Amino acid sequence: MSLKIAIQGIKGSNHHQVAKDCFGQDIELVECMSFDLLVEKLLSNEAGQGIMAIENSIAGSIIPNYALVNHNNLHIIGEYYLNIHHNLMVLKGQQINDITEVSSHPMALLQCKDFFKQYPQIKMVEDVDTAETAKRIQEKKLKHVAAIAPSVAAEMYGLDIVSKEIQTIKNNATRFIIVQTKNSVLPEADITKASVRFIANHKRGSLAAVLNVMSDCRLNLTKIQSLPVIETPWKYAFFVDVTFTDYVDFKKAKSLLNIMSEDFKVLGEYKNVRA
């Protein structure tokens, strides 16, 4: 029986590439046009696992996805880093000077903004997915419209690439997390990274004290992201990623942070793929 993997986007998207890289070809894709729908598919058991982009080396964090993971009690069971390659593609026979509009995911547009400064006649339009735009161009035979998408989308939907690697910074990578509704219990020896959430109180130095505990427990902080606590104005939750070599150190930190902070929560314990 094939694994059912929910992705944001459709076949030919970067999420599809991550699904193939992580789970192989023998999977059943559950295509979702939004991350909210992806979560719904997991909660309704229409998919067993989901793949969500969480941060990009150029554009930074995809902040709403932190809240989605937390509010829906999803468990992060793994991560994957994908080098991003943005290509400008059009209906066969069209040239770059024929283009008056480029449509793609907001993140892709942001990462290619500098390229389009040399083409002021091209209007940039936000869309839900990179590959979905490519598919629509082919299905509707859209002239004067281009998509920004991975090269596999051009192959899959029969488009011509008129300019390759148009991202502003060539060394461009996105971190994806693999999530599911139940925790995946790994042997402690295999756990070298964790994602946690907590609320620091308003006392002076409270956040610094929490960070000092992490340092004292030999945890390496690789990411910290704050989000407002919607129910309480001017109160913030912190989402933190830490790496470690010995799970015992993280275990000690967990017990201390549970006492020192409010609403301490482990979002996932998994393997650090960049170790």
Side-chain angles (χ1 to χ4, degrees):
M1 188 176 177
S2 299
L3 284 171
K4 288 188 175 182
I5 308 297
I7 63 167
Q8 190 274 318
I10 66 171
K11 290 178 182 177
S13 65
N14 286 315
H15 280 80
H16 179 207
Q17 185 64 55
V18 173
K20 290 196 298 180
D21 290 349
C22 291
F23 299 102
Q25 298 286 350
D26 189 24
I27 56 176
E28 182 180 336
L29 280 185
V30 179
E31 299 173 336
C32 308
M33 284 298 102
S34 70
F35 288 112
D36 291 88
L37 182 58
L38 184 153
V39 171
E40 286 179 25
K41 296 295 183 183
L42 292 173
L43 296 178
S44 64
N45 293 319
E46 292 175 68
Q49 294 175 332
I51 294 170
M52 300 174 71
I54 197 73
E55 60 179 312
N56 177 264
S57 59
I58 298 172
S61 299
I62 304 173
I63 292 176
N65 287 356
Y66 286 91
L68 278 175
V69 170
N70 176 52
H71 291 321
N72 294 284
N73 295 314
L74 298 180
H75 296 271
I76 301 171
I77 62 166
E79 64 177 357
Y80 189 83
Y81 289 82
L82 180 71
N83 290 325
I84 303 299
H85 304 280
H86 289 311
N87 302 282
L88 191 67
M89 55 194 69
V90 295
L91 199 65
K92 283 191 179 295
Q94 293 274 289
Q95 304 297 324
I96 197 163
N97 290 330
D98 297 320
I99 301 169
T100 58
E101 179 181 303
V102 60
S103 180
S104 195
H105 190 276
M107 194 70 75
L109 293 173
L110 180 65
Q111 293 165 14
C112 302
K113 199 172 180 180
D114 284 357
F115 173 84
F116 291 101
K117 287 179 181 177
Q118 61 189 310
Y119 301 103
Q121 78 280 10
I122 299 177
K123 180 183 178 183
M124 302 176 77
V125 178
E126 293 186 358
D127 213 328
V128 292
D129 181 52
T130 53
E132 196 277 333
T133 303
K135 182 181 180 183
R136 189 169 69 250
I137 289 172
Q138 175 58 37
E139 286 181 344
K140 296 187 177 181
K141 306 299 179 190
L142 297 177
K143 294 182 179 181
H144 312 298
V145 179
I148 301 171
S151 58
V152 65
E155 297 168 18
M156 194 169 285
Y157 302 116
L159 301 181
D160 283 343
I161 294 177
V162 291
S163 192
K164 295 181 178 180
E165 304 286 346
I166 67 170
Q167 64 270 16
T168 302
I169 299 173
K170 302 309 175 187
N171 185 19
N172 174 17
T174 293
R175 176 178 174 241
F176 296 79
I177 52 174
I178 302 164
V179 293
Q180 61 184 33
T181 56
K182 295 180 181 179
N183 193 16
S184 176
V185 181
L186 290 174
E188 290 185 358
D190 293 341
I191 301 172
T192 51
K193 189 170 184 177
S195 297
V196 302
R197 175 202 179 266
F198 60 87
I199 297 172
N201 63 42
H202 285 298
K203 291 180 181 177
R204 187 173 63 187
S206 59
L207 177 59
V210 169
L211 298 180
N212 283 335
V213 165
M214 292 181 182
S215 178
D216 292 343
C217 291
R218 295 192 288 272
L219 306 185
N220 179 37
L221 189 148
T222 60
K223 176 75 177 179
I224 183 166
Q225 178 70 54
S226 65
L227 264 74
V229 178
I230 305 299
E231 305 81 17
T232 312
W234 309 116
K235 200 168 191 178
Y236 290 86
F238 294 90
F239 292 78
V240 172
D241 291 337
V242 291
T243 60
F244 40 87
T245 54
D246 192 335
Y247 184 78
V248 171
D249 291 330
F250 178 62
K251 209 170 185 178
K252 180 181 177 183
K254 278 196 296 184
S255 61
L256 292 170
L257 294 176
N258 197 36
I259 298 168
M260 294 178 63
S261 62
E262 296 178 43
D263 293 335
F264 177 75
K265 183 178 182 182
V266 177
L267 302 174
E269 300 178 355
Y270 46 98
K271 185 175 182 179
N272 176 19
V273 299
R274 304 194 86 185

